[in-house]
Amino acid sequence: PGVERLVPRAAGKAHPNSLSATHGNGVFPFHSDGAHWQIPPRWLVLWCEESSDDRPTLLLPWRLLTRHLKPDPTAVFLVKNGRRSFFVEVRDVARLDAGCMIPQNGAARRLLLAASGTKASRAALHVDWKPGLVLVVDNHAVLHGRGCARSTGSGTGRVLWRALLN
């Protein structure tokens, strides 16, 4: 889809189906980009143009969450994508976005719960943005989210550029 400029937005100014519409400038839950696509992109490339806030990006390896799926290793979700909604079994490849994926079985519910828990946040790697920093994420192996600001600023002084690649 090309390269996209990402700037934190208040909930009322965000695209209606985006995480920003739900979470505004706050913390974003762990997710994978393109989870609403039939085949999510393999690579997520982020480049920092500007960062005057102290809100990190959090990275969480998929394998840390999937251990919560036992004894049923297959999580089934309904992926809401307008008229192109579909069911998907999630197992070895990271695919998670509470904004568009509705759990259909116990394994899916456990996976969402594990991704939203405190243990997941504590286990995550924190990336502090500085202008010029480039981050390449394997979108099939690592979930990412937006962390909590360490100061009381607005959380809007950050500009990232995103490219999704297969």
Side-chain angles (χ1 to χ4, degrees):
V3 177
E4 183 179 9
R5 187 173 191 255
L6 303 176
V7 179
R9 300 189 192 291
K13 295 182 179 182
H15 185 279
N17 295 327
S18 69
L19 285 174
S20 291
T22 304
H23 303 282
N25 293 328
V27 173
F28 272 16
F30 287 109
H31 64 282
S32 49
D33 279 12
H36 61 287
W37 298 358
Q38 286 284 338
I39 301 173
R42 178 64 192 258
W43 302 103
L44 164 65
V45 181
L46 296 169
W47 172 72
C48 180
E49 176 184 330
E50 174 188 334
S51 182
S52 60
D53 73 2
D54 59 356
R55 188 179 307 270
T57 289
L58 307 178
L59 302 174
L60 182 66
W62 181 247
R63 63 181 162 69
L64 292 179
L65 288 181
T66 56
R67 66 181 178 203
H68 295 279
L69 297 180
K70 294 177 177 56
D72 179 9
T74 303
V76 179
F77 289 90
L78 171 62
V79 178
K80 299 292 278 183
N81 191 3
R83 286 179 275 168
R84 297 181 311 243
S85 296
F86 58 95
F87 289 96
V88 65
E89 292 182 351
V90 175
R91 185 177 292 163
D92 299 327
V93 173
R95 180 194 287 245
L96 193 67
D97 186 335
C100 68
M101 295 175 67
I102 301 168
Q104 300 295 302
N105 67 356
R109 286 186 286 282
R110 285 192 303 278
L111 186 61
L112 275 178
L113 187 61
S116 65
T118 305
K119 283 184 183 179
S121 293
R122 275 193 244 137
L125 172 70
H126 291 226
V127 176
D128 294 315
W129 290 104
K130 294 177 180 23
L133 181 67
V134 175
L135 179 65
V136 179
V137 177
D138 182 343
N139 196 46
H140 288 187
V142 177
L143 299 175
H144 65 283
R146 186 167 67 199
C148 192
R150 294 180 189 103
S151 66
T152 58
S154 67
T156 59
R158 181 170 86 177
V159 178
L160 300 179
W161 289 85
R162 174 180 66 187
L164 301 172
L165 309 168
N166 285 328

